[in-house]
Amino acid sequence: MLKQHQYAVIRSSICTGEKVAGFKNKTNGHFSEVMLIRSAADEKKFKETYRVESLKVEY
């Protein structure tokens, strides 16, 4: 991941509550799904694996 081109984000469904972590392209808005987030432990694992300090949540 190139930080100047992408940022980490969690996409959360308003209807189902499903959360997916991934990376969004700053230029064209394309979202690349990486993993399903079912718990705080999953979010922590994503942050550790991809060396991300914070995650923006989009609905």
Side-chain angles (χ1 to χ4, degrees):
M1 174 189 89
L2 299 173
K3 287 188 178 186
Q4 63 268 29
H5 298 294
Q6 296 181 329
Y7 61 93
V9 63
I10 290 181
R11 278 197 158 172
S12 181
S13 169
I14 294 171
C15 298
T16 65
E18 180 180 78
K19 294 181 181 181
V20 178
F23 297 95
K24 189 168 184 179
N25 187 299
K26 292 179 181 179
T27 306
N28 62 18
H30 176 76
F31 178 73
S32 299
E33 183 178 315
V34 176
M35 72 180 283
L36 183 63
I37 304 295
R38 294 184 181 152
S39 66
D42 288 343
E43 185 175 332
K44 181 179 177 186
K45 182 176 179 179
F46 177 82
K47 287 179 177 179
E48 290 173 352
T49 301
Y50 294 97
R51 297 182 182 139
V52 174
E53 292 180 20
S54 65
L55 287 166
K56 183 178 175 181
V57 178
E58 295 182 351
Y59 297 92

